Amino acid sequence: MNKKKVDLMIIQAYEALSNSELVNEGKTDKAYRSHVAAFGAAMATGSLLAAVSNFVLDSQNANAKQKQGKVMGKIMWDMLKSNYRCEDNCEVMDTYDNLLAYITQLHKNDDLQMLRIVKGWLKEIAVAMKLAMNFLELMDSKKESEKV
């Protein structure tokens, strides 16, 4: 893991999160940080495709919990494209609309080397996103809804 790269991406992740619908007036649900941590753990212990599909496939549905996966998946995809450009893969990445489509195609092509590389990149992005959330005020939505 390139710690210098992660440090640089924390700012980018913070800005992306702050401008997303997941943050309201500098506050966000602490469950979102858990969601990113779970994504990192799923990647480390299992298949990249399974982790990504579980994380971003939520975009098919419209409820609030699944909306977070869509938003975070888009942020991670944008960060991947802007921070990790390799000579052989730049134009390939740009042909995909989202992270899941890109990872799925790498699996179909049986491109194990690129899958390992992308997995390392996504780990760095997940760490940066989780650390960026430390700059936000974390709320417990369950406790807030119980007060009402």
Side-chain angles (χ1 to χ4, degrees):
M1 181 175 304
N2 185 339
K3 292 179 184 177
K4 187 173 184 176
K5 188 79 165 175
V6 171
D7 285 345
L8 293 172
M9 285 190 299
I10 291 171
I11 298 163
Q12 182 184 11
Y14 172 74
E15 289 172 355
L17 286 165
S18 294
N19 294 326
S20 76
E21 57 194 79
L22 301 178
V23 176
N24 186 11
E25 297 177 11
K27 298 177 183 179
T28 190
D29 191 335
K30 69 180 183 179
Y32 299 156
R33 189 168 67 173
S34 301
H35 194 69
V36 174
F39 173 70
M43 271 196 313
T45 60
S47 157
L48 178 60
L49 181 60
V52 169
S53 65
N54 187 46
F55 188 69
V56 299
L57 197 58
D58 299 336
S59 64
Q60 303 285 328
N61 301 313
N63 73 36
K65 189 172 186 176
Q66 293 166 330
K67 189 183 284 188
Q68 79 186 17
K70 178 181 180 182
V71 173
M72 287 191 199
K74 175 157 180 20
I75 291 170
M76 292 185 89
W77 177 236
D78 291 343
M79 289 179 68
L80 181 69
K81 289 193 307 182
S82 68
N83 288 288
Y84 298 99
R85 307 298 277 174
C86 57
E87 293 172 17
D88 298 337
N89 208 35
C90 290
E91 59 280 344
V92 174
M93 248 187 207
D94 290 337
T95 62
Y96 295 97
D97 294 333
N98 60 58
L99 184 58
L100 183 59
Y102 178 62
I103 300 300
T104 301
Q105 191 58 47
L106 289 176
H107 269 280
K108 286 180 182 176
N109 294 344
D110 204 23
D111 192 346
L112 299 179
Q113 180 181 359
M114 197 63 209
L115 281 167
R116 276 192 293 277
I117 292 169
V118 171
K119 188 174 187 177
W121 292 343
L122 287 173
K123 284 179 186 177
E124 291 175 352
I125 291 170
V127 168
M129 283 185 68
K130 189 164 184 266
L131 292 172
M133 288 185 177
N134 291 334
F135 294 108
L136 301 168
E137 183 179 339
L138 301 175
M139 303 177 326
D140 190 351
S141 64
K142 289 181 183 177
K143 288 184 180 179
E144 293 295 321
S145 63
E146 289 173 3
K147 288 180 183 178
V148 175

